[in-house]
Amino acid sequence: MTKATSPNAKILYIEDDPASRRLVQRVLDNKGYHVVVAADGLEGISMAREHHPNLILMDINLPNMDGREITTRLRSLPNFSDTPIVALTANHSAGNRELALAAGCTGFLTKPIDVSSFPGQVSAYLNGLSDPLTADEKSEHLQRHAQNLVERLESKIHELESANKRLRELDRLKSDFIIMVSHELRTPLTLISGYAHLLDEQVKQTEENLSTEMVSGVAEGLNLGVTRMRDVVNEIIKVARISSGTLDLALGPVRLCEVVQDVFEEYLEVLEKRQINVQIGDLTKLPIIQGDGEQLKSAIYHIFSNAIKYTPDGGSIFVVGRSVGDTVDLIIQDTGIGIPDSEHRRIFDQFYTLGSIEHHSTSKFAFQGGGLGLGLAIVKGIVEAHNGRVWVESERRDLDQFPGSTFHILLPLEHVKQPAKL
Ligand code: ADP
């Protein structure tokens, strides 16, 4: 590499802290250096390859690869065996300097930089200065450096293995999900095509006009199929909105007693058919909360429909509410099959359904009838968008004794907007 001193020298600064980047850049720019910056190690390596800097300033504490590791890597590349690489670190602890030099750094400077002497120090390294390191110090610290590398490699392998496991699990859940969506859509499609077929037959067979009764029966059947399909599609859209953080809340005063009553009334027919007894406590005294009534209704709807689905015929569902400080805790308890302790968190994950999809039934409110595994993910998304919390308490899963499950939805009275998650 050709030597270049100010004002022609090009300097690459690898640093994750924007304030340090700006300061060093300004100080060196003023002296006529051409400074390029990279925010992490991998970007730093590719910028080094692209820009061929005359000197590299290297922060040591960087995320992912640290400064020593990047230096070792750069030294193994053909063009960087002689390039001055100067460690710049706020870590003053003993041995750090030697470790950086053993890893391949030419020099070692501490942060914060001294603005008046810094350009002179940089110029000295550009002109061939290199910090001394005895052979003994070098071999001792090289060994430490190698041990650190192996240790980091081990922890990275663990990290990758668990990320990989999680991805495989997600991949499986998504495949199951695709199978379930096709099941869910096939049922209403069969219904719709059946009714359309029936109508066609009737038109062909009947010489006179079709009876109003017949036509309205067919229309009802078609409507049922379409509604069912729309529900499935809406569920998928809602979960996609929650995942992408684009679920917008239309805030207003919400009376939970009215929301619960609305949900309950939608289920009257099913509850009667399944002989499930519902007891709703006095929710009229609960404070009015600020939230999105429609979304909260959909959250309660999902928990209530699960309570029905996982409770055998003749069981009970209890709904009570209490105000706790400046929050409201809505509790929905059932006398159903229960949920094992190990699954209390995972049931709120997208696509997660407990049990095999072979047992998946498309009958929505039949005892243990399967769903898409999106219901509780939607509930969690809606409740968290309100800065609330949802969780379940249940002793175990038991299909003989029915220990039941208790879901809590804890909502703040006032909606306080949280900064967006990065
Ligand atoms: P699904 O569409 O499968 O019902 P959910 O996200 O609503 O998906 O629920 C995830 C899983 O949590 C269900 O498959 C079920 O095993 C379990 N679960 C949810 N609610 C209850 C409940 N009240 N009693 C027992 N198990 C429940």
Side-chain angles (χ1 to χ4, degrees):
M1 166 124 332
T2 50
K3 278 209 175 122
T5 48
S6 174
N8 308 327
K10 191 185 269 187
I11 294 175
L12 168 64
Y13 183 25
I14 305 176
E15 165 69 78
D16 61 331
D17 174 42
S20 301
R21 276 203 305 266
R22 271 196 303 273
L23 176 67
V24 166
Q25 198 163 21
R26 196 171 321 140
V27 171
L28 294 181
D29 270 350
N30 272 343
K31 295 289 173 193
Y33 292 105
H34 175 51
V35 183
V36 286
V37 293
D40 66 48
L42 290 179
E43 191 191 354
I45 292 172
S46 65
M47 288 199 57
R49 281 181 154 138
E50 185 188 335
H51 291 276
H52 303 289
N54 303 98
L55 179 141
I56 298 172
L57 288 169
M58 180 74 70
D59 179 28
I60 293 296
N61 291 319
L62 287 166
N64 300 322
M65 280 177 96
D66 73 21
R68 288 181 290 263
E69 291 159 358
I70 303 163
T71 303
T72 304
R73 174 70 186 120
L74 283 171
R75 288 293 183 225
S76 73
L77 299 174
N79 288 333
F80 297 95
S81 51
D82 297 330
T83 311
I85 301 179
V86 182
L88 199 56
T89 173
N91 187 342
H92 299 228
S93 40
N96 237 345
R97 179 182 158 281
E98 291 75 9
L99 204 54
L101 296 179
C105 288
T106 322
F108 186 87
L109 296 175
T110 51
K111 285 195 283 191
I113 57 163
D114 173 358
V115 174
S116 57
S117 60
F118 184 65
Q121 293 167 319
V122 168
S123 163
Y125 286 117
L126 269 169
N127 285 310
L129 173 70
S130 96
D131 289 5
L133 188 69
T134 65
D136 281 354
E137 277 176 330
K138 186 164 182 176
S139 90
E140 180 197 333
H141 286 89
L142 257 183
Q143 201 176 352
R144 247 185 78 197
H145 180 54
Q147 281 162 354
N148 289 348
L149 283 178
V150 175
E151 225 171 82
R152 294 249 303 151
L153 185 65
E154 187 190 354
S155 85
K156 283 279 162 209
I157 291 173
H158 279 304
E159 245 173 63
L160 286 176
E161 269 177 356
S162 66
N164 197 17
K165 194 169 154 221
R166 174 90 191 114
L167 284 176
R168 273 202 310 261
E169 163 88 355
L170 231 105
D171 195 41
R172 189 188 59 76
L173 289 175
K174 284 202 173 167
S175 311
D176 286 359
F177 173 71
I178 291 166
I179 298 171
M180 285 191 279
V181 170
S182 16
H183 273 286
E184 289 276 337
L185 292 177
R186 202 178 295 150
T187 312
L189 272 176
T190 314
L191 204 69
I192 293 167
S193 96
Y195 276 104
H197 195 70
L198 184 72
L199 191 63
D200 189 38
E201 295 271 288
Q202 293 289 325
V203 171
K204 281 184 189 144
Q205 281 169 18
T206 321
E207 315 261 285
E208 296 136 41
N209 285 345
L210 291 177
S211 76
T212 329
E213 208 178 323
M214 194 274 148
V215 176
S216 101
V218 169
E220 205 177 301
L222 288 173
N223 242 332
L224 190 72
V226 172
T227 310
R228 187 77 190 273
M229 276 181 87
R230 205 183 38 216
D231 284 352
V232 174
V233 173
N234 282 347
E235 244 180 65
I236 296 170
I237 293 174
K238 190 170 277 187
V239 96
R241 288 231 170 96
I242 289 168
S243 298
S244 63
T246 53
L247 182 79
D248 289 325
L249 298 183
L251 296 176
V254 179
R255 284 180 184 76
L256 285 174
C257 58
E258 288 171 10
V259 178
V260 169
Q261 190 61 29
D262 279 358
V263 172
F264 170 62
E265 279 168 17
E266 284 191 34
Y267 282 112
L268 281 175
E269 208 176 301
V270 180
L271 289 165
E272 194 177 346
K273 206 154 140 204
R274 300 268 323 277
Q275 290 293 295
I276 292 176
N277 165 42
V278 176
Q279 290 181 33
I280 304 178
D282 184 6
L283 304 178
T284 55
K285 302 213 170 56
L286 285 182
I288 292 172
I289 64 163
Q290 225 210 340
D292 182 323
E294 275 310 305
Q295 301 288 6
L296 288 174
K297 182 173 162 191
S298 140
I300 295 167
Y301 178 93
H302 281 295
I303 294 206
F304 205 82
S305 80
N306 280 345
I308 298 174
K309 242 180 2 186
Y310 299 104
T311 298
D313 293 10
S316 304
I317 298 172
F318 306 92
V319 185
V320 289
R322 57 183 183 197
S323 77
V324 187
D326 48 8
T327 59
V328 171
D329 187 9
L330 188 73
I331 303 162
I332 300 173
Q333 186 176 15
D334 62 55
T335 59
I337 58 176
I339 301 166
D341 209 27
S342 56
E343 310 299 319
H344 286 186
R345 273 174 183 276
R346 299 179 70 196
I347 54 169
F348 293 97
D349 286 350
Q350 275 176 32
F351 314 125
Y352 189 79
T353 56
L354 227 153
S356 154
I357 57 162
E358 278 125 54
H359 302 136
H360 181 84
S361 142
T362 41
S363 152
K364 216 171 161 191
F365 300 110
F367 178 46
Q368 295 197 69
L372 287 174
L374 295 180
L376 291 179
I378 292 175
V379 173
K380 185 167 178 256
I382 293 173
V383 172
E384 287 182 352
H386 283 81
N387 300 322
R389 219 155 55 77
V390 57
W391 72 96
V392 68
E393 286 159 6
S394 178
E395 237 174 66
R396 62 186 194 284
R397 171 151 288 187
D398 188 331
L399 278 85
D400 296 320
Q401 310 260 320
F402 303 112
S405 306
T406 307
F407 281 83
H408 289 257
I409 299 181
L410 193 74
L411 293 164
L413 299 185
E414 289 294 325
H415 182 85
V416 184
K417 214 167 165 52
Q418 300 264 315
K421 277 185 201 147
L422 290 177

